[in-house]
Amino acid sequence: MPLIPEEPQIHESAQGPRATPASSRTAPTPRPVPGPRPVAPPRPGRPGPLRPAPPVQRTPHDVAVAKPGLPGPAAPAASAPAPAATAPAPASTTPQIQLIPASAAGALDAAEEAVDLLLESGRAPGEVLVITTGEHHPWAAHELSFGEAAYWAQHDAGDDVFYADATAAARAASRPVVVVAVNGGSAAAAAEALPLAHARAGALLIVCGDPQQINSVLGAGV
């Protein structure tokens, strides 16, 4: 027959403390909530609590504010500017002069040969100006047949050799190389064309003609 465990007997003395009725409990005295503490009076001989100083509006150091009726602060003396460097003197622009002896009839052919040599040596066509003292160069005569505007448009383009007579040379712009063909015309025309050609030449002036006439004109006019 199986054994049934006996239930433990709970004695009254082993029970825990009995709960006291709610009606007989004494409510604890509520404690006051601490509020802001008043500032304690300063003790003798000790300073009180420091208060933050009000913000001071400062003016920028680089701006001087003058009070009414009073002169403002003196501005700092400006430093003396450094002496400017002396620019070097420009180099001389006197062109080199080459003389090719030729008669009035052969001066134009000599000028053409000189132009060919210039282009073969690396000169660009737009760097060469040819001036004639007598008849027009065939190229100039051909271009002038289309009118002055078309002729000078070729000059302004500056991409080819330009040919002009002594009267039109004053309108032509300077170029690095100027070739003069003394192929006739009056002595006054040559005397006017040679100094003008010298002024238009930037690096080289080539004159084809009578050496005696050229030297007499260039020696007096240059």
Side-chain angles (χ1 to χ4, degrees):
M1 182 174 178
L3 296 177
I4 299 175
E6 294 181 0
E7 295 181 1
Q9 295 181 1
I10 303 175
H11 299 279
E12 186 176 354
S13 61
Q15 295 179 357
R18 295 183 181 180
T20 306
S23 60
S24 63
R25 291 181 181 178
T26 302
T29 303
R31 301 177 63 182
V33 178
R37 296 182 180 179
V39 178
R43 298 180 181 179
R46 298 183 64 182
L50 299 178
R51 296 184 179 180
V56 179
Q57 183 177 5
R58 300 179 182 272
T59 57
H61 295 287
D62 56 347
V63 178
V65 179
K67 295 182 179 179
L70 296 178
S79 57
T86 304
S92 177
T93 56
T94 302
Q96 181 183 357
I97 301 176
Q98 293 183 5
L99 174 59
I100 299 179
S103 63
L108 194 55
D109 292 337
E112 284 289 346
E113 292 179 4
V115 171
D116 292 340
L117 291 175
L118 289 169
L119 299 180
E120 291 176 1
S121 64
R123 286 283 182 182
E127 297 181 351
V128 181
L129 169 66
V130 179
I131 299 175
T132 57
T133 62
E135 294 182 356
H136 286 291
H137 187 276
W139 181 92
H142 174 74
E143 293 298 328
L144 285 170
S145 65
F146 297 101
E148 290 280 339
Y151 172 71
W152 286 107
Q154 296 286 337
H155 167 270
D156 297 337
D159 54 2
D160 202 354
V161 180
F162 189 75
Y163 298 85
D165 65 352
T167 58
R171 183 176 172 180
S174 299
R175 295 199 176 188
V177 181
V178 176
V179 181
V180 180
V182 185
N183 60 335
S186 63
E192 180 182 352
L194 290 177
L196 181 61
H198 185 271
R200 293 290 185 272
L204 178 62
L205 172 62
I206 301 175
V207 184
C208 305
D210 180 16
Q212 185 176 359
Q213 180 185 10
I214 294 170
N215 286 330
S216 62
V217 172
L218 287 179
V222 177

